Amino acid sequence: MSLADTLVADFDVLDFLGMLTERAVELLRVDAAGVILADQRGGWRPAAASSETSGLVEVFAAQTRQGPCLDCVRTGRLVVSEDLAADTERWPQFAAFAVGAGFGAACAIPMRLRDEVIGALTLLKTASGPVEPDSISLGQALADVATIGILQQRAVTRHEIVSEQLQATLHRRTVIEQAKGVLAERGGVDMHEAYTLLRGYARVNRRRLSDVAGELANGELDATQVLAPHADTRGA
């Protein structure tokens, strides 16, 4: 399984989380998925989504303020909404964003290290109704694998180390957003296509997604190289 393969060696956390959300959509009979992680200041920030379309990104950004995902990380428990349109009093802002983006139901699954919740995996369905129990069970298994993948080592026990790793991951996500903007402007593509091009270039050249994004954002890498058909440029 591709998610398990990343655990045997050094890996790119953001690429890993992106793969997690994509596999969740493929395996769990849902229409979208996303991850939020704890930052160093006691807040929560979006780290990955199964699509980089603006509507879905806004939905997950709204979850850092209210919604099933935020309730999930605060309680450490599964949070479900079978009908988001009926939950406007429970989560006014989030429900409005989600319904406006075409989603009818949501399920948030905790990502835990022992008793500490470091994030959550949220599953979204366009139709209202429950997420199937077997999908929730498999989703929890994926969330557990993702938690291990983020932390990478069994010996991590101190909160300071966990916070430093997660903060570094969130900083790299900001750099990726900047790189997507560069590609969107230079290539006339939407943000999802910009992310796909960025990730494809990194994979073909066997480089970290965050490293490529950093070089593109600060001008060390020409955007035309990433926009062009992907080829191995290490020799160049």
Side-chain angles (χ1 to χ4, degrees):
M1 183 178 179
S2 55
L3 288 175
D5 290 343
T6 63
L7 303 180
V8 299
D10 192 24
F11 66 96
D12 188 313
V13 173
L14 291 175
D15 193 16
F16 173 74
L17 290 176
M19 188 189 309
L20 167 69
T21 58
E22 291 170 1
R23 295 294 179 272
V25 171
E26 292 173 7
L27 299 172
L28 306 183
R29 296 184 291 279
V30 296
D31 300 294
V35 171
I36 68 168
L37 293 178
D39 65 21
Q40 205 169 15
R41 303 173 183 83
W44 302 91
R45 292 171 57 186
S50 55
S51 171
E52 296 291 318
T53 57
S54 59
L56 186 58
V57 170
E58 287 178 359
V59 170
F60 286 118
Q63 280 216 104
T64 63
R65 297 183 291 274
Q66 63 174 225
C69 200
L70 192 57
D71 288 358
C72 174
V73 295
R74 286 174 172 170
T75 64
R77 297 178 180 178
L78 177 76
V79 176
V80 175
S81 172
E82 296 185 5
D83 187 356
L84 288 168
D87 276 330
T88 52
E89 291 188 8
R90 187 181 183 188
W91 306 306
Q93 188 178 38
F94 170 77
F97 270 113
V99 172
F103 296 106
C107 171
I109 298 171
M111 295 169 61
R112 291 186 296 256
L113 172 65
R114 300 181 179 87
D115 294 328
E116 181 181 7
V117 180
I118 64 169
L121 169 66
T122 298
L123 310 175
L124 295 171
K125 293 175 56 180
T126 54
S128 59
V131 176
E132 297 177 17
D134 59 337
S135 292
I136 292 176
S137 297
L138 181 54
Q140 185 65 70
L142 292 175
D144 292 342
V145 170
T147 302
I148 296 170
I150 292 169
L151 300 175
Q152 294 191 38
Q153 52 183 329
R154 302 174 189 173
V156 175
T157 56
R158 293 184 300 171
H159 177 75
E160 295 83 3
I161 296 176
V162 174
S163 295
E164 288 173 5
Q165 289 181 334
L166 295 178
Q167 188 64 28
T169 295
L170 294 171
H171 172 72
R172 290 194 291 271
R173 176 67 196 189
T174 299
V175 175
I176 287 175
E177 290 298 321
Q178 294 171 348
K180 282 166 51 184
V182 171
L183 291 177
E185 181 180 358
R186 292 287 300 276
V189 298
D190 61 31
M191 296 299 273
H192 179 65
E193 186 175 355
Y195 177 79
T196 301
L197 288 166
L198 185 67
R199 186 172 66 175
Y201 180 90
R203 288 181 175 179
V204 166
N205 290 280
R206 300 178 186 176
R207 301 190 58 200
R208 288 177 178 269
L209 175 65
S210 50
D211 289 344
V212 173
E215 292 179 7
L216 185 62
N218 63 28
E220 294 179 18
L221 175 63
D222 193 328
T224 56
Q225 291 185 256
V226 183
L227 292 166
H230 292 142
D232 191 328
T233 61
R234 289 171 295 157

